Amino acid sequence: MTSQTPRSLGPIPLPAPGTRHSGYFTFDDELLGKYQWPYFAAVGRQAGLTFLLTAGIHAAEYTGTLAALRLGQALDPDHVTGAIVIIPLLNRPGFFERSIYVNPEDNQNLNRAFPGSATGTWSERFAHHLLNDVVIKVDRTMDLHAGDMVEGLEPFLGYYQTGNAEIDARSQEMIRAHGGMRWVTHVLPGGERAGMLYGAAAQNGVPAILAESGGCGLPIEQDVQRHVDGVLNIWRTLGLLTDAPALQAQPPRSIAANNWLRSEHEGIFLCRVSPGEMVAKGQTLGEMVDLLGNRLATIEAPDGGVVLFTVTSPAIKKDGLLLAVGVPN
Ligand SMILES: [Zn+2]
């Protein structure tokens, strides 16, 4: 799509070449239409790639949304080639509710709802319209995350290996250009349902990555800026942004398996490890106790690797998420 830049990206109007604008849009759907989503768009005078940056599909992962706002405010069309579109808050229903993990319209995780359905629940309709009306029309996409309100996190990148060499190479190009993370996963988390935005984008032919920085609902400057710097270096590497040369980035280390551990019991989680810590196979990561403090289970590392995130709230439902261990190649 390096020909003429179109005048809209699905429901999002694009400005004339050489200009930028920001505003709100909605989707053509009776359930979704009661919300307005914020966006920024800048179109360069020269045609090129169309890049979609998204954040806030998990509403309390604030570092992504704050980074997207900072990038949107700074967009300068004089330095853009092609088009850059930013949606800083996808989980619009959850933001002011301070929702953790889910969308309060139907209590589903929006980032497990793809590819969605035009006639399904609120989350399924949102996934369907975002994917088909917006995402599949761009050339590259990136989704910003953090640990959720109750998760501490080691920064990492992810892409979904489709098996299509051309798409995978383009996703990997973005991964290599980020420069701010030590780890990259190329598989969906073990034991989790599919249906993530970046995976669905790649499966539909759009090179896509995810970036995780920050957590616990804390808008820590270093975590926000890590997102900002990574996106800027990707844009400069791809030639979308010509304000400065791209920096040579340190490539992240590959993670072959991403094990998400869940609790068999309802109880209190006493976590013994921290995000970023290296653990050995069989090492005790924590224990589950009941409401009298009696041990229910010892949580052990299924493999050696790096702790990618831990749940910081000790209150765990049956089958509740506890932490993730990434196993390096
Ligand atoms: Zn997330």
Side-chain angles (χ1 to χ4, degrees):
M1 272 187 266
T2 47
S3 58
Q4 209 61 28
T5 306
R7 299 307 303 269
S8 74
L9 178 58
I12 303 173
L14 296 182
T19 66
R20 55 161 286 158
H21 68 202
S22 57
Y24 295 86
F25 74 94
T26 192
F27 294 96
D28 182 17
D29 178 276
E30 57 185 351
L31 296 187
L32 308 181
K34 71 173 178 176
Y35 290 100
Q36 297 280 318
W37 280 263
Y39 76 96
F40 300 85
V43 176
R45 284 188 186 81
Q46 270 189 296
L49 298 174
T50 296
F51 190 106
L52 173 68
L53 179 71
T54 55
I57 198 166
H58 296 129
E61 297 179 358
Y62 301 122
T63 56
T65 292
L66 295 175
L69 292 180
R70 192 175 294 179
L71 289 157
Q73 289 270 334
L75 274 181
D76 179 353
D78 287 342
H79 291 125
V80 171
T81 296
I84 295 174
V85 177
I86 300 173
I87 309 175
L89 178 60
L90 291 176
N91 191 339
R92 182 66 186 75
F95 189 73
F96 294 113
E97 300 301 323
R98 297 176 176 160
S99 298
I100 302 175
Y101 299 139
V102 299
N103 158 29
E105 286 284 341
D106 55 15
N107 282 321
Q108 289 185 36
N109 185 337
L110 280 180
N111 207 30
R112 300 293 183 279
F114 292 86
S117 155
T119 54
T121 63
W122 201 102
S123 292
E124 289 164 350
R125 288 174 185 227
F126 174 82
H128 170 86
H129 282 285
L130 182 68
L131 182 64
N132 292 288
D133 301 352
V134 181
V135 172
I136 64 169
K137 296 175 178 171
V138 305
D139 300 300
R140 304 282 191 282
T141 189
M142 177 173 182
D143 194 28
L144 303 181
H145 290 249
D148 213 313
M149 192 92 85
V150 294
E151 291 170 352
L153 177 130
E154 162 77 2
F156 65 93
L157 297 166
Y159 73 100
Y160 175 69
Q161 203 160 43
T162 63
N164 178 317
E166 196 177 324
I167 291 167
D168 293 347
R170 288 178 174 164
S171 296
Q172 288 161 357
E173 180 187 29
M174 291 193 280
I175 294 285
R176 282 195 305 273
H178 187 288
M181 315 281 196
R182 292 167 59 207
W183 306 99
V184 58
T185 72
H186 59 271
V187 289
L188 298 177
E192 286 299 295
R193 281 179 293 131
M196 297 189 183
L197 171 55
Y198 75 107
Q203 283 169 324
N204 282 276
V206 180
I209 68 169
L210 134 151
E212 299 264 4
S213 173
C216 294
L218 296 171
I220 292 173
E221 173 59 23
Q222 184 187 7
D223 296 327
V224 176
Q225 195 62 39
R226 184 183 293 110
H227 271 321
V228 169
D229 290 343
V231 172
L232 288 175
N233 212 49
I234 289 169
W235 287 349
R236 288 168 183 151
T237 301
L238 296 179
L240 280 145
L241 196 60
T242 57
D243 61 334
L247 302 173
Q248 189 66 38
Q250 181 77 23
R253 189 170 168 198
S254 181
I255 284 172
N258 186 2
N259 296 310
W260 287 28
L261 276 57
R262 290 178 173 274
S263 176
E264 288 175 33
H265 307 274
E266 174 186 87
I268 294 172
F269 180 40
L270 306 176
C271 187
R272 305 288 188 222
V273 292
S274 301
E277 192 173 329
M278 300 302 296
V279 296
K281 180 172 180 167
Q283 181 178 331
T284 297
L285 306 175
E287 56 182 9
M288 290 295 301
V289 301
D290 66 17
L291 294 180
L292 289 169
N294 298 314
R295 182 184 312 193
L296 295 166
T298 301
I299 311 301
E300 294 181 349
D303 252 312
V306 58
V307 177
L308 290 176
F309 64 80
T310 67
V311 171
T312 55
S313 162
I316 305 292
K317 290 180 178 168
K318 184 176 165 62
D319 200 38
L321 192 57
L322 299 175
L323 51 80
V325 177
V327 184
N329 270 343

